[in-house]
Amino acid sequence: MIKKISKNLNAQAASEYLVTYAWAILIILAVIGLIYYFGMWDFLVPNRCTLTTGLTCYDFKVKSSAVQVVLLNNLGETITIDDIDLKDCQGNPQSQTIKDNQKATFIIEPCTIAGKKYSSGLNVTYAGESALKHVIKGEIRSQVDLS
């Protein structure tokens, strides 16, 4: 009889232990969900500018009126950048020719970027030595520089 009561107490203690930690994990998940929902998660996500293979987004800066992008040509040939398309920006940068393994700076303006954060698809249209047009797609995500 005493052995049976001892087993029941051990089982009860084990289940209380699991329930206590389950509540703690549930509360932690709820807090993480609220942080994500209210947009406070972005302090953990770094600014980034990515493009598919061939062109590298070497550096970038986002302001409320313009976006500045430095591109590095890794395509193995001289190219001419004809257009850079971003959300909330109406202008096109001046066309530039970039030799292989060289960088060029593009300023896309005017832009009407509202808020502290900016996220957009980045579409770069270029022509190689064959003069055929190509589009490289990417993404730009950044805090807006209000200075």
Side-chain angles (χ1 to χ4, degrees):
M1 176 92 171
I2 294 176
K3 237 180 188 184
K4 194 172 187 181
I5 292 174
S6 176
K7 282 185 179 180
N8 287 340
L9 289 177
N10 285 340
Q12 181 181 358
S15 65
E16 287 176 0
Y17 176 81
L18 290 173
V19 168
T20 301
Y21 282 100
W23 278 111
I25 291 171
L26 186 63
I27 290 170
I28 290 171
L29 290 175
V31 168
I32 290 172
L34 287 172
I35 288 172
Y36 181 76
Y37 179 77
F38 287 112
M40 295 181 283
W41 196 261
D42 288 341
F43 69 91
L44 295 175
V45 179
N47 295 340
R48 69 174 179 241
C49 179
T50 57
L51 287 166
T52 53
T53 306
L55 281 178
T56 302
C57 188
Y58 190 78
D59 198 9
F60 65 100
K61 187 174 197 174
V62 176
K63 292 188 172 190
S64 59
S65 61
V67 176
Q68 187 174 359
V69 179
V70 179
L71 298 178
L72 173 65
N73 177 8
N74 291 321
L75 290 166
E77 64 178 331
T78 300
I79 62 169
T80 301
I81 304 284
D82 296 323
D83 183 31
I84 298 176
D85 184 38
L86 290 167
K87 177 180 78 171
D88 299 326
C89 294
Q90 293 76 33
N92 290 326
Q94 191 173 27
S95 203
Q96 290 188 44
T97 299
I98 311 173
K99 293 181 179 178
D100 189 33
N101 293 319
Q102 297 293 316
K103 294 179 266 190
T105 302
F106 297 89
I107 299 173
I108 302 99
E109 59 184 351
C111 297
T112 53
I113 299 170
K116 297 177 185 174
K117 302 172 207 158
Y118 181 69
S119 181
S120 172
L122 174 64
N123 297 323
V124 179
T125 304
Y126 74 94
E129 293 169 353
S130 66
L132 294 174
K133 300 257 183 197
H134 303 277
V135 176
I136 292 184
K137 297 180 182 280
E139 177 188 24
I140 190 167
R141 181 182 176 142
S142 176
Q143 300 287 338
V144 177
D145 184 6
L146 300 173
S147 61

